[in-house]
Amino acid sequence: MLNHKPLHRFRMAGFAEGLSLLILVLIAMPLKYIAGIPEVVSVVGALHGFFFIAYALIALYTTYKVRWSFQWLASAFVVAFIPFGNFWLDHRIKQSFY
């Protein structure tokens, strides 16, 4: 029987990390370079960094608890650098584990 609690935590962390990346890239960066408001990037960038570190730690924990293959762990780290990547991985997790 697969324990879904670690997967749920991972999915929520992925959502937070993915959303913070989108806010950073699509809102904060244009505000910095177009509107001349660099403070937005400082705040959103720090939040995104926190979410990324939490996501990475939760990915490692989930790999241990669910006994994920290295391929799942590697894809979890790769998609964290691609806008909308975490949402694609979330869809794959729902297909594979639920």
Side-chain angles (χ1 to χ4, degrees):
M1 175 96 189
L2 180 63
N3 184 358
H4 290 287
K5 192 177 247 185
L7 282 175
H8 179 73
R9 285 186 189 130
F10 175 75
R11 290 179 62 217
M12 292 302 104
F15 179 78
E17 195 279 333
L19 186 62
S20 71
L21 176 62
L22 290 176
I23 292 170
L24 180 63
V25 171
L26 299 177
I27 297 172
M29 295 297 284
L31 284 174
K32 177 180 179 177
Y33 291 109
I34 296 171
I37 309 171
E39 298 82 15
V40 177
V41 172
S42 299
V43 173
V44 175
L47 285 171
H48 173 65
F50 171 78
F51 286 131
F52 178 78
I53 291 170
Y55 173 78
L57 293 173
I58 291 171
L60 289 169
Y61 174 76
T62 303
T63 300
Y64 171 74
K65 291 299 277 186
V66 179
R67 299 192 186 280
W68 261 349
S69 67
F70 178 75
Q71 180 183 3
W72 277 103
L73 179 62
S75 65
F77 282 106
V78 168
V79 300
F81 295 96
I82 303 169
F84 298 102
N86 276 317
F87 304 112
W88 173 82
L89 182 62
D90 182 64
H91 176 70
R92 293 288 313 267
I93 289 170
K94 285 192 288 189
Q95 286 180 333
S96 298
F97 293 102
Y98 287 93

